[in-house]
Amino acid sequence: MTESKTVITKVDDGVGRITLNRPESMNTFSTELARGLCDSLEAMESDPSVVVVVLDGAGKNFSTGIDLKEFLSKERHEIRDFLRLMDRHNNVLFSMSKPVIASVQGYTLANGAGLALACDFIVAAENAVFGTTAINVGLICLEPGYQLSRWIGPKRALQYVLTGDFIHAEEALKLGIAYRVVPPEKLEEATMEFAKKLAKKSPLALKTGKRGLQQIESLPLERAIEAAGERFAALAATEDAREGLEAFLGKREPVWRGR
C-alpha cells in the first residue's frame, strides 16, 4: 500500500483501491488531491495485477466538491488552469479500460458527484446524498451535470443542475444511478463483494465490454452492430476465450492469462 497526504492506494487480489483522504475537509478537491487522484487512477490502469478499481472517501462523506478556499485564492488568470486540473479525472476515468466502482456515503456533491458519476458503477450507503449544488453559490455544475445526464438524460439532469436539489440514495437507486444501496455499516462489504465478483471475470472480456459499449453508444444502428461484431470476434480469437469455454464445459474455474 502506498500513502500520500490526500490519497491512499492499495492493491489486493485483483482489486485496486483509491481513497480520497481529506476527511477533515469532506474530501474536497485541492490541487494535491486532484493530482494524486489522477496519478493513482493512471497507476491502477497500468498495473497488470489490477482488474477492478474501487474509489471511496475517508470519513463520513465521499466528497463535497472543490475546496472553495483554494478556489477563492486564485487570480482570474489562474482559474481556467485550476479548473482544468479539477476536471482532469473525468478524462482519465473515460480512458480507463478497467471497471471503476465508486463506493459512496454521506455528501457526494458538485465535483464529488461528478467524480462518482464518471465511474462505471456506484454502490451507495443509505445515507448517501448526491447533488449538483454549485448553483447555490452562484456557480454551475456543468461537468457534473453532463455526467449526470449520461445516467438520467439531459432534461432531467437540467432540473437538478439548475435547482441544486439533492438526490438521496433511494432515489438514486430508482433513477438507475446507484447499482446498489446498503446500510452504511455494510457499504465496504457490499462494495468489495461486487468488486471481487468482477475481478474473477476475464480481464480481456471486461475491457472489451467497457470499450465496446463506449464505442457503439453514439453510432448508428448498422455501424454499431458491425463494430460490436468486430470487437466480439477479436475477443473470441484470444486464448482466454478458449480457456473460458473449456473451463465451462469442463466444470472448472478458468485461469485467465490476459492473452
Side-chain angles (χ1 to χ4, degrees):
M1 181 177 74
T2 62
E3 291 193 23
S4 71
K5 183 178 179 181
T6 59
V7 177
I8 300 173
T9 67
K10 65 178 179 180
V11 178
D12 182 36
D13 198 21
V15 179
R17 190 160 180 174
I18 301 173
T19 301
L20 308 180
N21 190 39
R22 297 187 75 212
E24 73 288 349
S25 301
M26 294 187 174
N27 296 318
T28 48
F29 277 66
S30 63
T31 294
E32 184 181 357
L33 184 142
R35 287 176 177 158
L37 170 61
C38 292
D39 289 347
S40 298
L41 288 169
E42 290 171 343
M44 294 292 182
E45 174 69 7
S46 62
D47 187 340
S49 70
V50 174
V51 182
V52 179
V53 177
V54 169
L55 178 60
D56 62 12
K60 297 180 180 180
N61 303 286
F62 180 72
S63 173
T64 57
I66 295 173
D67 186 319
L68 296 182
K69 291 182 180 179
E70 184 172 0
F71 178 81
L72 288 172
S73 74
K74 300 300 176 183
E75 300 293 337
R76 286 189 178 184
H77 68 276
E78 298 175 310
I79 289 176
R80 185 66 192 99
D81 285 343
F82 175 71
L83 293 177
R84 189 174 284 112
L85 175 61
M86 296 299 105
D87 287 339
R88 182 171 161 244
H89 61 268
N90 297 290
N91 292 321
V92 176
L93 283 164
F94 185 78
S95 69
M96 290 179 69
S97 63
K98 300 173 182 180
V100 182
I101 304 166
S103 180
V104 305
Q105 61 184 347
Y107 288 119
T108 304
L109 308 178
N111 217 44
L115 172 60
L117 293 164
C119 295
D120 301 300
F121 304 95
I122 296 174
V123 178
E126 291 173 344
N127 65 0
V129 179
F130 302 85
T132 48
T133 52
I135 188 72
N136 296 329
V137 294
L139 298 172
I140 200 71
C141 279
L142 284 180
E143 190 286 325
Y146 166 73
Q147 297 293 351
L148 181 60
S149 72
R150 296 175 63 216
W151 293 82
I152 66 175
K155 287 294 186 181
R156 194 154 197 178
L158 183 64
Q159 297 172 23
Y160 290 108
V161 170
L162 296 189
T163 64
D165 288 347
F166 287 152
I167 303 173
H168 294 272
E170 287 301 327
E171 182 66 16
L173 185 63
K174 292 176 184 177
L175 290 171
I177 295 170
Y179 171 79
R180 187 178 177 190
V181 172
V182 297
E185 65 273 16
K186 296 287 186 180
L187 179 61
E188 181 169 357
E189 178 184 344
T191 302
M192 296 310 296
E193 178 185 307
F194 181 41
K196 289 176 181 179
K197 178 180 180 178
L198 289 178
K200 291 181 179 179
K201 309 296 184 184
S202 159
L204 289 179
L206 290 174
K207 179 179 180 178
T208 299
K210 180 171 177 176
R211 281 277 182 262
L213 287 174
Q214 284 177 338
Q215 178 189 9
I216 68 178
E217 183 179 10
S218 59
L219 293 176
L221 177 61
E222 183 178 2
R223 181 63 190 122
I225 293 172
E226 179 66 20
E230 290 169 359
R231 284 188 174 269
F232 184 83
L235 177 63
T238 64
E239 291 181 25
D240 277 1
R242 178 172 291 275
E243 166 65 11
L245 294 173
E246 290 179 349
F248 176 77
L249 293 173
K251 297 182 179 180
R252 62 175 175 81
E253 289 294 318
V255 179
W256 309 120
R257 296 181 173 83
R259 57 180 187 267

